[in-house]
């Protein structure tokens, strides 16, 4: 299969998965072998194909049957990468930990692994953290994950940080190497792992603790065919698992802004490395012009330094021709921008982490939603907020039509 690209191998596997037919084991083995190759020039594109084409597509469809498909397929990948783990045993354990069951013990330590993506940690993980601290106020509560996600909760006295690095762009071997670190840290006596479908555990497949201590919120299947949002489903899951009725999205970044009488609109043009979420030019610059025509200051998040997002944001701001006292650029951590959203009167942007922060805080928000794989994915990821919310589904609409929808949604 040397002449077949990793992307072609991943597409072939995906097609078998979606048809419900048995995928060729030699194709999966070939893709995994390449993703594990010591030569990064071979391993990097194969890893991207494995996750972006195959794994993420299976997850984004939110089809309950595809959870079994993913587990069968990726447990084989794990065995190939970590031979001490057997696929059959991983599958057996997975079926046990994903079973929704009430917690009956009183743990000393509770570990909640990050979902790694910031929006998911606000919309889902934070609800699990909130329920855990309410149910077990005397337990040590640990957020397990990268620093940039931890910064969203850093100011809270209720949560400790267990730092674990996980690169979404990392090679397959690097992503799975975290298993040994997690196993050592999480398999503590009288402890509990509340897993919000974390990338760290490969969606619950890695045996990071005894199965009886591992409770997996399998967000891809929970809720079945309903069109409930992920925050709504998470609240339902913690109600069944922890007996907590009123858990809410919750964040406490260490930063704080006070704009006094200044009216501020916050904007994120980030797309989470998914270009399908973006609307073609000139939408972004014209969106900023539209927002800047209102009284007050528009603050746009720059994204990561040196990223494609930063370049795009700077170009959009420059193309408006407006001065810095009308459109400003936020440069800093996402936790800092989250605090800025909290102090703003309106948030606007694409489907991104910013929209989930605004939703959690009840800040009025306008979201342009594009690039979703299915109607159920849209339903799951739409912002769930007690505040005024407008969600504009992009579909096949042109930029001018979408701008008209944003204009109509702007508060007077």
């Amino acid at each position: 299969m040397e002449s077949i690209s990793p992307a072609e191998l991943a597409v072939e596997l995906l097609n078998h998965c979606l048809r419900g037919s048995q995928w060729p084991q030699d194709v999966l083995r070939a893709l995994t072998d390449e993703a594990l190759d010591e030569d990064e020039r071979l391993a990097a594109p194969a890893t991207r194909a494995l996750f972006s084409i195959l794994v993420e597509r299976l997850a984004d469809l939110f089809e309950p049957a595809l959870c079994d498909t993913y587990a069968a397929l990726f447990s084989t990948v794990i065995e190939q990468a970590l031979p001490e783990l057997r696929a059959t045993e991983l599958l057996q354990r997975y079926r046990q930990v994903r079973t929704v069951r009430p917690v009956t013990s009183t743990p000393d330590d509770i570990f909640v692994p990050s979902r790694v993506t910031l929006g998911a940690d606000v919309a889902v993980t934070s609800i699990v953290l909130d329920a855990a601290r309410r149910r077990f106020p005397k337990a040590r509560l640990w957020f397990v994950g990268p620093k940039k996600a931890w910064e969203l909760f850093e100011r809270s006295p209720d949560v400790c940080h267990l730092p674990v690095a996980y690169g979404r762009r990392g090679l397959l071997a690097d992503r799975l190497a975290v298993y040994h670190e997690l196993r050592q840290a999480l398999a503590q006596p009288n402890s509990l792992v509340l897993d919000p479908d974390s990338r760290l555990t490969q969606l619950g497949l890695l045996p990071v603790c005894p199965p009886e201590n591992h409770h997996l919120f399998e967000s891809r299947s929970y809720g079945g065919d309903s069109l409930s949002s992920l925050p709504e489903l998470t609240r339902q899951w913690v109600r069944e698992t922890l007996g907590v009725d009123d858990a809410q999205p919750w964040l406490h970044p260490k930063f704080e802004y006070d704009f006094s009488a200044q009216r501020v609109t916050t904007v994120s043009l980030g797309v989470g490395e998914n270009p399908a979420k973006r609307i073609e030019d000139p939408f972004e610059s014209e969106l900023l012009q539209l927002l800047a025509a209102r009284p007050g200051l528009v603050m746009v998040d720059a994204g990561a330094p040196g990223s494609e997002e930063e370049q795009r944001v700077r170009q959009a701001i420059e193309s408006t021709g407006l001065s810095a006292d009308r459109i400003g650029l936020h440069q800093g951590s996402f936790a800092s921008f989250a605090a800025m959203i909290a102090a703003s009167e309106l948030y606007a942007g694409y489907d991104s982490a910013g929209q989930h922060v605004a939703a959690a805080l009840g800040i009025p928000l306008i979201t342009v939603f594009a690039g979703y794989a299915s109607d159920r994915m849209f339903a799951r990821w739409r912002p769930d907020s007690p505040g005024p919310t407008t969600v504009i589904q992009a579909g096949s609409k042109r930029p001018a039509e979408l701008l008209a929808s944003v204009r109509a949604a702007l508060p007077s």
Side-chain angles (χ1 to χ4, degrees), residues 282-311:
F283 174 77
E284 292 168 357
S285 62
E286 293 188 0
L287 172 67
L288 297 183
Q289 287 179 315
L290 175 62
L291 296 173
R294 304 172 70 245
L297 174 67
V298 175
M299 289 297 300
V300 190
D301 186 39
S307 65
E308 176 274 340
E309 179 183 346
E310 182 184 27
Q311 180 182 3

Side-chain angles (χ1 to χ4, degrees), residues 193-217:
V193 174
L194 300 175
D195 187 340
D197 232 4
S198 172
R199 293 172 184 254
L200 296 177
T201 66
Q202 297 305 322
L203 311 185
L205 273 176
L206 289 176
V208 295
C209 67
E212 61 271 18
N213 297 343
H214 192 165
H215 292 254
L216 173 67
F217 169 48

Side-chain angles (χ1 to χ4, degrees), residues 228-247:
S228 300
S229 69
L230 279 174
E232 183 180 352
L233 294 175
T234 309
R235 285 191 288 268
Q236 183 177 332
W237 184 82
V238 298
R239 188 179 303 121
E240 292 185 77
T241 304
L242 297 175
V244 176
D245 289 325
D246 56 348

Side-chain angles (χ1 to χ4, degrees), residues 37-342:
D37 199 286
E38 293 182 359
D39 187 342
E40 185 174 342
R41 293 172 299 178
L42 297 176
T47 297
R48 284 196 300 272
L50 175 64
F51 282 93
S52 64
I53 295 176
L54 184 55
V55 172
E56 292 179 13
R57 176 68 175 181
L58 292 176
D60 287 346
L61 291 171
F62 287 94
E63 288 290 344
L66 292 179
C67 291
D68 292 317
T69 302
Y70 160 79
L73 184 146
F74 208 79
S75 61
T76 304
V77 172
I78 292 173
E79 179 179 328
Q80 196 168 332
L82 302 172
E84 70 270 28
L85 300 178
R86 308 301 297 173
T88 53
E89 296 172 2
L90 292 176
L91 278 173
Q92 182 178 2
R93 181 186 183 280
Y94 179 76
R95 296 186 187 106
Q96 182 176 346
V97 303
R98 74 177 183 177
T99 301
V100 181
R101 60 205 191 279
V103 172
T104 56
S105 63
T106 302
D108 294 324
D109 291 275
I110 303 172
F111 300 98
V112 181
S114 169
R115 286 192 46 142
V116 178
T117 56
L118 295 166
D121 274 340
V122 173
V124 178
T125 311
S126 75
I127 298 176
V128 177
L129 287 168
D130 187 45
R133 67 178 184 156
R134 290 169 184 259
R135 170 68 188 275
F136 298 110
K138 295 182 179 180
R140 289 181 294 269
L141 179 58
W142 299 87
F143 175 83
V144 183
K147 179 183 177 182
K148 67 176 182 178
W150 157 247
E151 288 176 341
L152 291 169
F153 312 103
E154 190 171 359
R155 195 160 50 92
S156 170
D158 299 331
V159 186
C160 307
H161 182 212
L162 181 61
V164 174
Y166 183 91
R168 291 177 63 192
R169 298 180 181 178
L171 302 178
L172 175 60
D174 297 328
R175 298 190 196 204
L176 294 180
V178 74
Y179 161 66
H180 301 287
E181 183 180 356
L182 289 174
R183 178 75 183 183
Q184 183 176 6
L186 274 54
Q188 302 297 320
N190 199 34
S191 65
L192 186 67
V193 174
L194 300 175
D195 187 340
D197 232 4
S198 172
R199 293 172 184 254
L200 296 177
T201 66
Q202 297 305 322
L203 311 185
L205 273 176
L206 289 176
V208 295
C209 67
E212 61 271 18
N213 297 343
H214 192 165
H215 292 254
L216 173 67
F217 169 48
E218 193 181 60
S219 64
R220 295 150 291 136
S221 68
Y222 192 88
D225 294 334
S226 77
L227 295 179
S228 300
S229 69
L230 279 174
E232 183 180 352
L233 294 175
T234 309
R235 285 191 288 268
Q236 183 177 332
W237 184 82
V238 298
R239 188 179 303 121
E240 292 185 77
T241 304
L242 297 175
V244 176
D245 289 325
D246 56 348
Q248 298 296 328
W250 164 86
L251 62 159
H252 282 275
K254 67 177 180 180
F255 305 94
E256 192 169 359
Y257 290 91
D258 181 3
F259 295 116
S260 298
Q262 171 78 291
R263 299 176 63 179
V264 174
T265 297
T266 45
V267 179
S268 172
L269 299 177
V271 293
E273 301 177 16
N274 181 2
K277 290 185 176 183
R278 183 176 176 245
I279 306 302
E280 64 189 57
D281 293 334
F283 174 77
E284 292 168 357
S285 62
E286 293 188 0
L287 172 67
L288 297 183
Q289 287 179 315
L290 175 62
L291 296 173
R294 304 172 70 245
L297 174 67
V298 175
M299 289 297 300
V300 190
D301 186 39
S307 65
E308 176 274 340
E309 179 183 346
E310 182 184 27
Q311 180 182 3
R312 184 162 42 82
V313 165
R314 289 183 180 276
Q315 289 175 345
I317 292 175
E318 183 179 355
S319 67
T320 66
L322 298 172
S323 62
D325 63 342
R326 300 297 303 123
I327 300 182
L329 185 68
H330 169 268
Q331 300 178 82
S333 69
F334 180 76
S336 170
F337 185 59
M340 187 172 285
I341 292 173

